[in-house]
Structure formats: structure tokens, C-alpha cells
Amino acid sequence: MGKKSATEGALLCRSFEKRFGSDGIAVPGALCGALYHPVVTQSFPLTRDEALARWRAFLPHVPAYAAGRNYVTMAPQRHVSGLSPAVRLGLITPQEIVRDTLEEHGYQPAEKWLQEVCWRTYWKGWLQQRPQIWRAWRQRVHALRETLPDAVKQRMEAVSAGHSGVAVMDHFARELAETGYLHNHARMWWASFWIHAERLPWELGADFFFQHLLDADPASNTLSWRWVAGLQTAGKTYLVRRGNLERFCEPALLQDTRGLERLEDGCVTAAIPREDLDMSPHALPDLPDRAPEVTGRFGLWMHADDLCLESSPLRSLRPAGIIAITSQPAYDHYRLSPQRISSLHAALQDGAGRASAHFRCPAGVLEAADTAAALGAWLQEQRMDTLVSMRPHTGPVADALPAIRRTLASLGIGLHLVQRPWEAQLFPLACAGFFPYWEKTSRKLREGLLT
Ligand SMILES: Cc1cc2nc3c(=O)[nH]c(=O)nc-3n(C[C@H](O)[C@H](O)[C@H](O)COP(=O)(O)OP(=O)(O)OC[C@H]3O[C@@H](n4cnc5c(N)ncnc54)[C@H](O)[C@@H]3O)c2cc1C
């Protein structure tokens, strides 16, 4: 387990340097003992203004995205947008990103970028049709926590704390905890390392990501972990390989070579977990993609699946008030990191502020243990007889819907859920594999049908 010389380390990363130049990338962070301790500051847009500024700065670089996107640097990443927390929270929408991209560059030079942006919508639509996959993952997380032997739990803690002994994987574990973000390739490597090299349960690796990622998304996270595990696409498993790391990592990331021999090409073999889940799709509910006709006093419920109500189909409504609800018990349930909680609060505050200005009515963020009870109490107090909201996606917010429906029904208050036209058009296409979806979606993009 010798530490390779800097020259050897540099040779390992020839491909990276060939593409970007040996000193083309600034290298923050410092070597502390043998392992990297990434002392990084990386900020992600958590308001709409910041998201739009980040997007405007990235837009000219879209044509270079396809060539650079797989290369991983020390944080902050230079070859990808860093927009995912903002996209996740709906501070900026995929539709806006796609529209601006096509206006600025046209389809062909931006194809890879457009495909990745639409990949997210594919995962969302796929899971929306199979909520049982989300529920099964959460149940397994709780069951495994109860039943796993102590030795496995201790190993999981060591690996997620950055003490696996494979220096580059430990760097990524700490980078995730410190910044709330990892490059896509680093996510793939780390998930594969967890599942196929460490032979740990994918469900708890996915849970570790869900606790820390600022972009933590029930669809992208769960389904990407399933894909790496070999559960999502029959016969396809993603195996981490040293050669791949050497090709795509900035040299500094591999300068400490400890543990790399565990990832030698051919050393990591598939550990495909077994499961017996019904993957068949459920029909999507027939939701309107335009504002409902509401009479009387009504309120808007805003949540972290869509924080840009002023650009939504609800934009022309005249509500009497707007509410968003945060819940400490929910954060505790999902064991969210403090960084993830504060990012949610920042985005909700921003969403409420913009909504108040746009709809010209009071908007607030309320802390409450029980979302359904808090919504019911607010509506009664405000003497409102209807609640309108953008439809939450399969995940934590939508899990509260049955209780919300019951509470509102018991109070005689109506509930209207609305979806964005983007989702109405694309979610039904995400019924099978990505490539049939992309064939239809890219045709719509080229024909200007989605913008
Ligand atoms: C194990 C694993 C877990 C993941 N968990 C999440 C998650 O919880 N939330 C999340 O948003 N993404 C997740 N991803 C997908 C992807 O890693 C991130 O979307 C991407 O790294 C976000 O960084 P970016 O905005 O700089 O990406 P860019 O490369 O700049 O991409 C722009 C946008 O396209 C979308 N996108 C890009 N790549 C993907 C992809 N592979 N799958 C789906 N959408 C993509 C995102 O909305 C992203 O913001 C996961 C991937 C893996 C392998």
C-alpha cells in the first residue's frame, strides 16, 4: 500500500492533463498526513436570483459540456453547472434551462447537456409512476437499521466518515459531508465502491447521500443507486475501476494512492442485491396543467418540490395567503444534515418572499410538527375554503398528501393540485427505458414543442 511519487501520480492522470493542461486547474485543499482533507468552501445557489445568475454564467459554456462533464476536480467542480440544488428545489426549472439553451445554441451543440437536464425529468416521471419503489426503499432503510449486525454498522460508519482506507473514496465522503455536493462521476464511483467493493447495502448508502446532498432527490438519488447496484436496468451494473478514475480525476485527487489497489481493473465484481419488487407502472393521475377556477377565499401551499410559483400555472391566481411548512420531526426522520436543513430554509424563505411580492398577499414559512394539521389550522384561521398547490412529486412531501386530504375533507375544505405542462408532456413518456423516452423527448425539443 505504498504511496506513489508525485511523478507517478501525475502519469496516472495523463488523460486529464492532456485535456486541461497540467496547471490549468487551481487545486484548493491541502495534503494533511497521508489523506486529503478537503477544506473547501463551495456555495450553491439557494435563491432564484442566485440560480439565474449561475445559469447565465454557465450558459456560454454549454457547448463545451459534453467534452468536460466527466472530469472530476478538487472542489469546486469546473466542468459542470452546480445547478442541481436549485433545480431540485424548483428555484429554476428544466423548461427554462432548455428554452434558454435552444435559443442560445440550438439543439446539436447542446445535445449532451439537454439530455442530462432531461434525464432528471425522466427519473421523476419514472418514479411518479412507481411510488412503490420509493416506499420500499424507505422501509428497507428502517428495517436494515434495526437488523444489521454491529460489525456491518461500524464498517458503514467508517466508510461514510471517510475512513475506508481508500484515500480517494475517503476524500469524496468528506467532500460530500462538507459541501453537500459531489460530481456525478464521483457519485457513481462512490456508490459502486460502497455496494460492490465494500459489499454494504445500497439502501443505506443511498440514505447517506439523501441526508447530505443539497440536491437530494427521491427520484434521481434512489434510482441512480439502484442503477449502480444493478437493480434498475436488467443486466447492467456499474463497477468502479482504477483505470477509469485515473482517466477522469484531476491528478491531485489520486496523489495519495492508498487503497487504490482494491479498485484495480477486474478486482471489483458485481454484488447484485436481490429483491422482489413489482416494477410495473401505475397510471399517472389526470391533473390539470392550468390554474383551477376557484371562488371564495383560498390559499396557496408552497413546498420544496416547486419554489417558483410565479412562473407556474398558478401565476394568475389571486390567493388570500400563501404558506410553506417546515417540520423538524421530518428532518429528524430523514436524519438530514444541518447544511441540508439550512439550504431548505433558505430556499423556502426565498420562494415565500417572491410569492408574496408576485401575488400581493402575505406569505410565510411555518415550523410545525404535523404538516396536515398545520395546513388545516391555517386555512381555518384564515377562513379559507380551498387550498391550491403545485403537485408534489413522489417523495417526502407527497407522503403527507393522504393525511392532508383527510384533514381538509374533515374540515370541508377543497384541495386542487396542478402540474406543470413540462411534466404533463414528459412524465407519461418515462414509462420504460431512458432511450425510448429520449427519442420522443429530443424530437419534441428539435420541433420546438416543449418551450
Ligand atoms: C449515486 C447517484 C446519486 C445521485 N443523486 C442525485 C440526487 O439526489 N439529486 C440529483 O439532482 N441528482 C442526483 N444524481 C445525478 C447527478 O449526479 C446530479 O444531478 C449532478 O451531479 C448534479 O450536478 P450539476 O448540477 O453540477 O450537474 P450538471 O452536469 O451541470 O447537470 C445539469 C443538470 O442536469 C441534471 N442531471 C445531470 N446529470 C444527471 C443525472 N445523471 N441524473 C439525473 N439528472 C442529471 C441535474 O438536474 C443537473 O442539475 C445522482 C447520481 C448518482 C450516480
Side-chain angles (χ1 to χ4, degrees):
M1 281 218 265
K3 190 167 178 289
K4 291 219 165 125
S5 69
T7 324
E8 274 179 287
L11 281 174
L12 292 175
C13 302
R14 267 194 311 268
S15 168
F16 187 99
E17 293 195 348
K18 208 165 135 200
R19 192 172 286 275
F20 299 109
S22 58
D23 46 19
I25 306 276
V27 182
L31 260 181
C32 299
L35 288 177
Y36 267 110
H37 288 278
V39 182
V40 290
T41 49
Q42 182 162 17
S43 64
F44 293 94
L46 293 171
T47 65
R48 178 157 166 84
D49 283 351
E50 288 167 4
L52 291 175
R54 170 80 59 112
W55 169 225
R56 276 193 294 269
F58 190 77
L59 181 57
H61 303 286
V62 160
Y65 177 79
R69 62 182 277 272
N70 282 326
Y71 289 86
V72 183
T73 65
M74 303 289 281
Q77 300 301 322
R78 297 276 183 88
H79 309 295
V80 289
S81 70
L83 279 169
S84 52
V87 175
R88 160 66 186 100
L89 296 161
L91 296 169
I92 182 168
T93 64
Q95 183 171 9
E96 292 175 279
I97 294 177
V98 163
R99 185 199 56 214
D100 293 351
T101 302
L102 290 172
E103 275 174 21
E104 185 74 16
H105 302 292
Y107 178 85
Q108 209 55 48
E111 183 172 28
K112 191 67 203 167
W113 166 256
L114 293 167
Q115 192 181 73
E116 293 303 317
V117 171
C118 292
W119 200 299
R120 175 177 193 276
T121 304
Y122 167 73
W123 282 146
K124 300 295 289 176
W126 195 94
L127 194 68
Q128 198 67 28
Q129 297 177 66
R130 295 161 185 87
Q132 71 272 25
I133 303 288
W134 158 258
R135 283 196 296 269
W137 172 51
R138 291 315 303 170
Q139 281 159 9
R140 284 284 294 159
V141 167
H142 297 299
L144 285 165
R145 279 192 197 136
E146 297 298 314
T147 55
L148 274 181
D150 284 346
V152 181
K153 285 188 189 156
Q154 279 158 15
R155 184 64 192 161
M156 285 190 332
E157 271 161 32
V159 175
S160 30
H163 299 300
S164 75
V166 180
V168 65
M169 294 299 153
D170 292 341
H171 170 94
F172 291 141
R174 285 198 298 271
E175 183 179 339
L176 172 59
E178 286 178 26
T179 66
Y181 176 86
L182 278 183
H183 184 285
N184 180 59
H185 226 157
R187 295 183 202 208
M188 289 161 63
W189 292 327
W190 201 87
S192 180
F193 172 67
W194 175 279
I195 300 168
H196 303 297
E198 288 287 340
R199 308 253 157 181
L200 293 169
W202 74 268
E203 294 91 337
L204 293 178
D207 189 52
F208 172 61
F209 269 29
F210 202 75
Q211 290 169 25
H212 289 278
L213 282 171
L214 302 186
D215 63 27
D217 185 273
S220 290
N221 188 55
T222 318
L223 302 180
S224 298
W225 272 85
R226 289 176 57 81
W227 175 78
V228 172
L231 294 167
Q232 191 63 18
T233 313
K236 292 245 167 87
T237 302
Y238 181 76
L239 296 180
V240 55
R241 288 185 301 110
R242 179 178 179 151
N244 192 251
L245 285 157
E246 288 169 354
R247 182 164 171 219
F248 290 109
C249 280
E250 175 180 21
L253 281 166
L254 295 179
Q255 205 161 359
D256 184 343
T257 58
R258 282 186 309 143
L260 268 185
E261 70 283 353
R262 288 185 59 199
L263 310 180
E264 282 302 348
D265 295 9
C267 281
V268 181
T269 54
I272 304 184
R274 287 173 190 279
E275 69 170 12
D276 185 18
L277 271 182
D278 173 16
M279 307 261 277
S280 50
H282 296 215
L284 287 164
D286 189 18
L287 293 179
D289 62 2
R290 58 190 61 199
E293 284 179 20
V294 232
T295 49
R297 260 176 86 78
F298 68 94
L300 295 187
W301 170 39
M302 198 180 62
H303 50 71
D305 283 350
D306 194 323
L307 289 178
C308 195
L309 295 185
E310 70 272 25
S311 79
S312 79
L314 310 183
R315 62 186 171 274
S316 56
L317 292 177
R318 287 285 160 254
I322 301 164
I323 191 166
I325 294 174
T326 62
S327 162
Q328 190 60 45
Y331 302 153
D332 295 342
H333 177 80
Y334 288 102
R335 304 185 180 186
L336 301 193
S337 71
Q339 193 172 201
R340 175 122 136 70
I341 296 171
S342 57
S343 72
L344 273 169
H345 286 181
L348 283 166
Q349 288 293 353
D350 177 64
R354 278 181 287 104
S356 176
H358 173 85
F359 292 100
R360 296 189 195 157
C361 69
V365 181
L366 181 74
E367 165 61 35
D370 179 335
T371 301
L375 279 174
W378 177 71
L379 289 157
Q380 274 195 306
E381 193 185 290
Q382 299 290 322
R383 290 171 285 102
M384 293 171 178
D385 41 32
T386 308
L387 182 67
V388 182
S389 175
M390 293 309 293
R391 172 261 310 275
H393 302 128
T394 299
V397 182
D399 284 348
L401 272 181
I404 292 171
R405 286 186 204 283
R406 278 194 304 276
T407 304
L408 300 199
S410 74
L411 297 171
I413 294 173
L415 174 65
H416 290 280
L417 297 178
V418 174
Q419 63 179 329
R420 286 189 180 255
W422 174 266
E423 295 169 8
Q425 291 188 72
L426 295 187
F427 277 13
L429 305 183
C431 49
F434 176 77
F435 289 100
Y437 157 88
W438 178 240
E439 203 185 306
K440 295 185 195 107
T441 302
S442 60
R443 193 178 321 131
K444 283 179 188 279
L445 293 180
R446 285 193 304 269
E447 290 170 4
L449 298 176
L450 281 173
T451 50

